[in-house]
Every structure is written in structure tokens, then in C-alpha cells.
């Protein structure tokens, strides 16, 4: 058994993972980051639009503050978030953005004088102040009262990830790429690292650590149509769920982004609409103001996705060989703006569609994009159930997003949570004496080695892992899409129970040797189906509509009965369904539940509404 030992093991080397790694390495601790791909190819690099932080530098951001940002975040979450965490986030976001600039992120900067911007397809003029020249600029994003999304054209994730990777290299962070975690090492109380598989040789390794961080991104690839990279299939979530101790928080909270291109589902940034792009139907009519007169295309993502789907259901979508879609129009922004601020969008459209967005409409429709769901942690990033285990970024349910996240908040969260949780990890490492139990290490390694052997030998059967995945995809499409109802969800749950039984009988057609994608999927497929069951069962039980969770048979937001957070546990390996528990959504209310200001819908109020908190906005 090959063993590596370190102070901090980061599962994931994207923005959240590397930011926590930097905090620990900067305090003198050894750090190893495990990554499925080279660190700079992490899915964080695909993020385009920007990072929210209340800097208030631009003319349209004037008067912004952490209080205003807090209000937008809580309303965006449909009051499903932990308001204490949201406050931590908004207060630290400006600090993190300026720190990123210090580390080399080339933020777009304010240019003084009259500037032409677009809103709803129409130009307007804003005067940028001379005294703000050179300060970090911002653009508009959905669900915000002010322009606060800091950006580097439409390559923000790319720029920030490269800057962080440089900083990590300076501090001696060790990156082990092409390495996939298959299990956590624990004794039921303490996490001591992970068992991982080398994707080049197929060999298993043991990574022993005093502290372990899950920062592997979302698990959107349990859906067939997703903007996520193929690596976002929930491997680390599965390892956590398989402990029987660690819960997934709010698994039913899955976000669909309005503008995945058709047919590839690759994302084009919300920055397109933030910069003034509009949505058109089959008649090239701009329909969003009919549904959302005030926010239009810049309502929150759950609302825009829902309105687009409603419009297509009325027969006003554009027919295609790949199903109905709508049009995104950014032509009026002009060649200079698109080539400067939306250049990645242009490259994507030209490369994957053969469409030039300067002169042509872009086919788009809502597609799975983000998991508000994640490994449940407290406000310090410490995972429920296992000492020494932390989580940050999209992998975590921290929980500042609740049932819908605002565009730009999650990319910002990666570095803010990385900074905040990283400091807590350092405190843990400074104050904890760790004991690695080699019996637990040997048991975990032997169990995973036996799993591999059983799959190769077909001990449990010869079900095809790829066919099982397709059945899972079909069930999620039927029950857990943008619109949900009890009948379809119940059918999906029953289907997935059968799919889980099939997943437990998977065997290989190949020999499993070396860089073997069939074995990689076979090791994860049972866990992926378990995640799908967490999503569907939790959605079936939640008899209300909140944020991205929309029940057609329960259209009201029910604060009386459902202002809480779902915790999904998989108690035993042989269970057919997750065990669901619930906890209060937030320990205190700084902003009492109310209207979001967009999206409509009836609200069933709490029996005893909380008093107004300290928020001054």
C-alpha cells in the first residue's frame, strides 16, 4: 500500500480547495491537493461572469454595502439560507476581492467619464466618477439591487484560478492530479484522510491527514443535461455519504441556469444578460417583461428558468431537432463589447454552434447548473458527524444559498469560504493532536481493493454501469427537473430504487486495468444513484415551492411548515432510501421572511414571525 501523509488533504484543487490550501500552507502546514485533472483545468476555470462583492465603485453600484448584498442574498435564497453564514460572506467578500487583486487577478477597472451600458436591449449612459478611476469595476447580475459583480471580461474563473494556483505553488502546496478519491478513512468519529485511485495506473493509495477538506465542486453530472464538466459526478459526496454519518444538506435544491446553449448544454454566462442581452421567443418577441416587469431577464436564475419553461410550454419555443429552445440576443451590444467583455461566449458559440453572436441569435434553454445541495457543514466549514473533516465551495452546504443562489455569489463564495474556512482549518491544526489509527487505514484500503476485485470478477453480477447511468438520468429528468409534482417524483423514486438494485450488481466488461473509465464509473455508480435518490426523495417530501424547488401541486412557499433545511443520511449500505432529517434554516433572523420582489407566488406565513433584526438596509 502506497501511503502519503500530510497535515491537510484537500479533495479538489479548484478555487475553494486551493484557497483553503493557501491559508494552511501560509501558516506553515503541509498540504496535498488531490484533483481529477490538472489544477488549472478544474471546473472553476469555466466560470465566466464574475464574483459578487459590495465595493460600490461603479456608477450603478453607488450606495452598495454588505447590508444591501445581504438582503439580496437572503431574498435570492427564498429565505432558505443560514443568515449568519450569509452575513459572514457579505462582510468578507470585499476583502477577498481586493486580496485577489493583490495576488494578480486583472479585474476590469473603472474608466471615468460617460459610458454606454445596456439594459433590456436599450442603451443608457452612466457617468463614472473621476475619483474612482482604476478601481475594481462591476457588472449587473440577476436578483441584485446594485451592480456588484466584479469581473475579468468573461473569464473570471480562469483568471482567479490561475492566480491562486500561482500562489499555491509559491507556498509549496503539492498537487496530485489524475487522482480520484473513492472513500474516506475514518473510525466513526474522526476523519483521517482518504483512499484514492490513481487514474493513470489504476492503483489505490492511502492519503493520511490531520485535517481533510472536501472541495470537489458540485454533483450536477448525475443529470444528463448539465453545464457541469464531466468530472462533477459527485465522487467526494459519495465518499462522505457512504460513511453513514455525514449528511447531504438540502439535496432537493438543484439550480437550473437559463442559458445553456443547445444542444451541448455548455453555459453562456449570465453576464450576457447582465450586460444587456435579452431573451426572445420563436417570434423574436422579448417575453420576460410580460412575466417580470421590473427585473425581466435579471430576475434570479430560478425565476428566469421557470418563466422560460412556462413560455415554451405555451408553444412559443423554437422547434429544433434537439427539442424546443429560445433565443439569446446580444447583437445590440456590438462587436467591440462582445470581443472585449464576452469573448469566451463568442468562442463557445462559434466553436460549438457555428454561430457568431455579433450577428446571430444564440439558441438557449434552461439546464442543470449548480447544486445548492452539498456536504453539510456548520458556519466554520466543519462537516457534521466527523471531526477533522471540512468542506467548502459548491461541494458544501455551508449554507449561504438556501434554495437558490444568485449568479456571482458562488464564485465569490469559493474564495470567501476558502479564506474563512481555511482560517478555521488552521485553528484546528494548531490546536489538535491527531492520532492515525492504522487499523482504520488498512480496513478502508482492503474494502476498496475488494470492491475493485469484485467489479472485475463480476462477483455481484454483470450489469452495465453505463446502462444503469442512463436509467438514472431518465428518472431525474422525469421527476426532478425545473417543475416537479408528487406523481412524477414518486414514480422517479420507485424507478431509482430499482436502479440502485441494478447498480449493486454492476460488473466490468473490460479487464479494469490501468486508466479504465468503465471501472471509474462502476466504482461510483451506486453512489450516484444514492445521490439521485436523495434529490428525488427529499423533493417528494418537501410539499412546498421554494426557490429552485418548484412543486406544481404545492405552488406556495410554506414558511409555516417548511422553513427548514433537509439533511439526507445513508445510514446503512443496504438501505433503499436515504433517511431524512430536518433542522432550522437559520439560527436567527436578521431579515424576517417576506416577499422577494420578483417571481410572484403565494406565501404561507410562519405562525409566529420573527422580529426585525439588526439589518439597516
Amino acid at each position: 500500500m502506497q501511503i502519503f501523509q500530510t497535515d491537510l488533504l484537500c479533495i479538489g484543487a479548484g478555487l475553494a480547495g486551493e484557497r483553503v490550501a493557501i491559508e494552511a500552507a501560509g501558516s506553515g502546514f503541509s498540504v496535498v491537493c488531490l484533483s481529477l485533472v490538472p489544477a488549472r483545468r478544474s471546473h472553476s476555470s469555466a466560470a465566466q461572469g464574475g464574483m459578487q462583492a459590495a465595493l460600490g465603485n461603479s456608477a450603478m453600484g453607488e450606495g452598495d454595502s454588505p447590508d444591501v448584498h445581504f438582503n439580496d442574498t437572503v431574498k435570492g435564497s427564498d429565505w432558505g439560507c443560514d443568515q449568519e453564514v450569509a452575513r459572514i460572506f457579505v462582510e468578507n467578500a470585499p476583502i477577498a476581492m481586493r486580496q485577489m487583486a493583490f495576488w494578480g487577478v486583472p479585474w476590469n477597472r473603472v474608466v471615468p467619464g460617460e459610458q454606454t451600458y445596456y439594459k433590456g436591449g436599450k442603451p443608457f449612459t452612466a457617468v463614472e466618477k473621476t475619483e474612482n478611476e482604476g478601481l475594481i469595476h462591476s457588472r449587473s447580475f440577476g436578483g441584485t439591487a446594485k451592480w456588484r459583480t466584479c469581473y475579468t471580461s468573461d473569464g473570471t474563473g480562469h483568471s482567479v484560478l490561475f492566480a491562486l494556483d500561482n500562489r499555491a505553488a509559491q507556498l509549496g502546496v503539492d498537487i496530485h492530479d489524475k487522482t480520484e478519491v473513492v472513500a474516506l478513512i475514518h473510525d466513526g468519529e474522526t476523519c483521517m484522510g482518504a483512499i484514492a485511485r490513481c487514474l493513470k495506473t489504476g492503483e489505490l493509495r492511502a492519503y493520511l491527514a490531520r485535517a481533510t477538506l472536501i472541495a470537489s465542486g458540485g454533483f450536477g453530472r448525475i443529470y444528463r443535461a448539465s453545464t457541469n464538466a464531466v468530472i462533477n459526478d459527485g465522487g467526494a459526496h459519495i465518499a462522505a455519504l457512504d460513511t453513514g454519518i455525514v449528511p447531504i444538506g438540502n439535496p432537493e435544491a438543484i439550480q437550473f441556469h437559463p442559458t445553456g446553449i443547445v444542444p451541448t448544454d455548455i453555459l453562456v454566462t449570465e453576464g450576457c444578460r447582465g450586460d444587456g442581452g435579452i431573451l426572445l421567443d420563436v417570434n423574436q418577441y422579448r417575453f420576460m417583461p410580460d412575466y417580470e416587469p421590473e427585473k425581466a431577464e435579471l430576475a434570479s436564475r430560478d425565476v428566469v428558468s421557470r418563466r422560460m419553461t412556462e413560455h415554451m410550454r405555451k408553444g412559443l419555443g423554437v422547434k429544433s431537432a434537439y427539442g424546443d429552445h429560445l433565443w439569446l440576443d446580444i447583437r445590440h451590444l456590438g462587436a467591440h463589447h462582445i470581443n472585449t467583455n464576452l469573448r469566451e461566449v463568442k468562442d463557445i458559440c462559434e466553436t460549438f454552434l457555428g454561430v457568431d453572436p455579433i450577428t446571430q441569435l444564440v439558441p438557449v434553454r434552461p439546464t442543470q447548473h449548480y447544486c445548492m445541495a452539498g456536504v453539510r457543514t456548520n458556519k466554520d466549514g466543519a462537516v457534521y458527524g466527523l471531526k477533522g473533516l471540512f468542506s467548502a465551495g459548491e461541494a458544501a452546504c455551508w449554507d449561504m444559498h438556501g434554495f437558490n443562489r444568485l449568479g456571482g455569489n458562488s464564485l465569490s463564495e469559493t474564495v470567501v469560504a476558502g479564506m474563512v474556512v481555511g482560517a478555521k482549518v488552521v485553528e484546528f491544526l494548531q490546536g489538535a493532536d491527531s492520532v492515525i489509527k492504522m487499523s482504520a487505514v488498512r480496513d478502508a484500503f482492503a474494502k476498496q481493493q475488494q470492491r475493485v476485485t469484485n467489479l472485475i470478477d463480476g462477483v455481484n453480477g454483470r450489469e452495465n454501469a453505463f446502462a444503469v447511468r442512463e436509467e438514472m438520468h431518465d428518472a431525474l429528468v422525469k421527476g426532478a427537473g425545473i417543475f416537479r409534482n408528487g406523481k412524477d417524483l414518486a414514480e422517479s423514486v420507485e424507478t431509482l430504487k430499482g436502479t440502485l438494485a441494478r447498480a449493486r450488481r454492476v460488473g466490468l466488461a473490460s479487464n479494469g486495468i490501468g486508466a479504465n473509465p468503465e471501472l471509474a464509473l462502476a466504482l461510483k455508480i451506486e453512489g450516484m444513484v444514492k445521490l439521485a435518490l436523495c434529490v428525488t426523495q427529499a423533493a417528494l417530501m418537501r410539499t412546498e415551492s421554494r426557490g429552485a424547488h418548484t412543486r406544481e401541486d404545492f405552488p406556495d412557499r410554506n414558511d409555516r411548515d417548511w422553513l427548514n433545511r433537509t439533511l439526507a443520511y445513508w445510514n446503512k449500505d443496504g438501505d433503499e432510501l436515504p433517511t431524512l432529517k430536518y433542522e432550522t434554516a437559520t439560527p436567527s433572523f436578521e431579515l424576517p421572511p417576506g416577499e422577494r420582489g420578483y417571481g410572484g407566488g403565494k406565501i404561507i406565513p410562519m405562525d409566529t414571525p420573527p422580529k426585525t433584526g439588526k439589518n439597516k438596509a
Side-chain angles (χ1 to χ4, degrees):
M1 174 175 31
Q2 190 175 21
I3 296 176
F4 296 87
Q5 192 158 358
T6 183
D7 291 320
L8 172 63
L9 176 67
C10 295
I11 303 170
L15 290 177
E18 289 209 321
R19 183 62 188 85
V20 172
I22 287 166
E23 201 71 23
S27 297
F29 295 103
S30 60
V31 184
V32 172
C33 288
L34 306 183
S35 180
L36 289 163
V37 293
R40 296 189 180 198
R41 298 301 299 161
S42 298
H43 193 47
S44 297
S45 66
Q48 299 167 4
M51 293 180 162
Q52 284 205 37
L55 300 175
N57 297 331
S58 68
M60 300 302 292
E62 192 169 334
D64 200 9
S65 69
D67 285 339
V68 179
H69 190 185
F70 175 86
N71 278 10
D72 287 344
T73 298
V74 174
K75 290 176 182 177
S77 78
D78 222 355
W79 275 269
C81 74
D82 183 325
Q83 294 191 24
E84 190 174 6
V85 170
R87 174 55 66 179
I88 292 169
F89 165 68
V90 300
E91 295 290 347
N92 283 283
I95 300 168
M97 295 312 108
R98 294 184 177 108
Q99 186 181 57
M100 292 303 103
F102 179 73
W103 285 345
V105 174
W107 296 117
N108 281 52
R109 302 285 179 161
V110 173
V111 177
E114 288 191 356
Q115 305 293 332
T116 299
Y117 300 111
Y118 284 83
K119 183 176 181 180
K122 297 178 181 179
F124 70 93
T125 299
V127 179
E128 299 292 353
K129 294 181 178 179
T130 302
E131 58 265 34
N132 289 341
E133 181 176 8
L135 298 181
I136 298 171
H137 205 353
S138 57
R139 61 175 20 142
S140 183
F141 255 44
T144 61
K146 301 287 184 180
W147 289 22
R148 74 169 66 89
T149 307
C150 312
Y151 65 103
T152 61
S153 297
D154 61 345
T156 308
H158 178 102
S159 298
V160 178
L161 183 61
F162 274 53
L164 283 186
D165 196 52
N166 285 340
R167 182 67 178 156
Q170 288 173 349
L171 293 172
V173 173
D174 195 6
I175 308 292
H176 291 204
D177 61 19
K178 301 181 179 63
T179 304
E180 180 172 39
V181 166
V182 293
L184 295 178
I185 301 169
H186 69 96
D187 61 359
E189 295 180 357
T190 302
C191 182
M192 293 168 272
I195 302 298
R197 179 171 168 266
C198 174
L199 296 178
K200 292 180 286 188
T201 66
E203 294 177 350
L204 295 182
R205 302 167 176 170
Y207 286 85
L208 311 185
R210 296 171 58 207
T212 303
L213 174 82
I214 295 175
S216 54
F219 55 85
R221 276 291 164 177
I222 68 171
Y223 283 80
R224 178 181 292 114
S226 173
T227 66
N228 287 194
V230 295
I231 60 175
N232 293 117
D233 54 15
H237 294 85
I238 294 164
L241 195 62
D242 281 350
T243 63
I245 303 166
V246 175
I248 301 297
N250 281 345
E252 67 270 45
I254 304 294
Q255 184 176 80
F256 294 80
H257 195 289
T259 53
I261 62 173
V262 180
T264 64
D265 296 302
I266 296 171
L267 177 70
V268 290
T269 175
E270 188 165 317
C272 290
R273 287 172 289 124
D275 287 4
I278 56 177
L279 293 168
L280 305 176
D281 64 16
V282 66
N283 300 315
Q284 297 194 24
Y285 170 72
R286 185 186 176 212
F287 59 90
M288 276 303 299
D290 296 347
Y291 297 100
E292 301 293 336
E294 182 181 346
K295 291 286 189 179
E297 285 86 359
L298 289 176
S300 61
R301 288 176 175 179
D302 62 312
V303 172
V304 178
S305 293
R306 199 155 55 242
R307 298 305 195 191
M308 290 172 70
T309 304
E310 289 172 7
H311 204 65
M312 287 188 285
R313 283 180 168 185
K314 293 176 181 177
L316 293 166
V318 181
K319 303 295 180 184
S320 81
Y322 307 101
D324 288 3
H325 65 77
L326 296 162
W327 297 116
L328 172 67
D329 185 6
I330 60 173
R331 296 173 298 180
H332 50 278
L333 301 182
H336 176 74
H337 183 93
I338 293 171
N339 285 324
T340 302
N341 292 326
L342 298 172
R343 57 195 179 193
E344 284 194 19
V345 169
K346 185 172 186 290
D347 286 346
I348 287 168
C349 291
E350 289 179 336
T351 302
F352 294 97
L353 299 177
V355 167
D356 182 357
I358 294 173
T359 60
Q360 295 173 281
L361 299 173
V362 181
V364 295
R365 67 178 168 220
T367 189
Q368 192 284 333
H369 176 60
Y370 187 85
C371 297
M372 281 76 72
V375 177
R376 180 68 183 129
T377 76
N378 65 15
K379 65 180 181 180
D380 296 334
V383 170
Y384 283 20
L386 283 177
K387 183 182 177 183
L389 182 61
F390 297 81
S391 187
E394 187 179 351
C397 180
W398 190 26
D399 168 29
M400 57 163 280
H401 300 303
F403 276 77
N404 178 69
R405 76 156 174 103
L406 297 182
N409 260 4
S410 70
L411 198 60
S412 184
E413 180 197 20
T414 60
V415 293
V416 175
M419 179 173 69
V420 172
V421 175
K424 295 298 181 181
V425 170
V426 168
E427 286 182 18
F428 176 82
L429 290 171
Q430 289 171 337
D433 290 327
S434 300
V435 176
I436 304 295
K437 298 179 181 178
M438 287 308 297
S439 59
V441 177
R442 287 191 293 270
D443 289 348
F445 187 90
K447 182 178 179 180
Q448 298 310 310
Q449 189 66 65
Q450 190 62 53
R451 284 184 67 207
V452 172
T453 301
N454 289 349
L455 287 167
I456 293 171
D457 294 342
V459 169
N460 300 314
R462 289 290 184 184
E463 284 278 3
N464 183 288
F466 299 98
V468 173
R469 184 174 64 181
E470 287 300 304
E471 187 171 274
M472 175 188 70
H473 287 163
D474 291 341
L476 284 170
V477 168
K478 181 177 181 61
I482 293 173
F483 287 98
R484 302 164 179 187
N485 63 73
K487 179 178 179 294
D488 288 342
L489 279 166
E491 290 180 8
S492 294
V493 168
E494 287 304 310
T495 298
L496 285 167
K497 286 164 68 175
T499 309
L500 180 60
R502 290 184 64 192
R504 288 167 172 162
R505 299 193 299 270
V506 161
L508 301 190
S510 62
N511 59 17
I513 294 173
N516 189 299
E518 185 191 19
L519 177 57
L521 178 60
L523 283 167
K524 289 192 291 281
I525 190 60
E526 181 181 345
M528 291 172 73
V529 178
K530 286 179 179 178
L531 286 174
L533 275 163
C534 288
V535 172
T536 51
Q537 179 69 2
L540 177 62
M541 293 297 103
R542 183 171 287 272
T543 51
E544 67 155 355
S545 292
R546 185 181 300 274
H549 172 70
T550 303
R551 284 287 295 266
E552 294 174 293
D553 47 349
F554 293 96
D556 303 339
R557 192 185 89 197
N558 187 344
D559 291 344
R560 182 190 64 207
D561 303 318
W562 285 105
L563 190 54
N564 56 25
R565 180 179 303 105
T566 307
L567 300 177
Y569 296 82
W570 209 280
N571 290 335
K572 296 188 295 248
D573 285 344
D575 287 354
E576 282 191 316
L577 287 173
T579 298
L580 302 183
K581 299 180 181 180
Y582 297 91
E583 64 178 2
T584 182
T586 183
S588 61
F589 286 92
E590 189 173 332
L591 184 67
E595 298 278 353
R596 298 170 88 187
Y598 48 83
K602 181 183 173 184
I603 299 170
I604 300 173
M606 300 173 71
D607 289 334
T608 308
K611 295 180 180 180
T612 303
K614 66 180 181 178
N615 196 343
K616 301 179 286 294

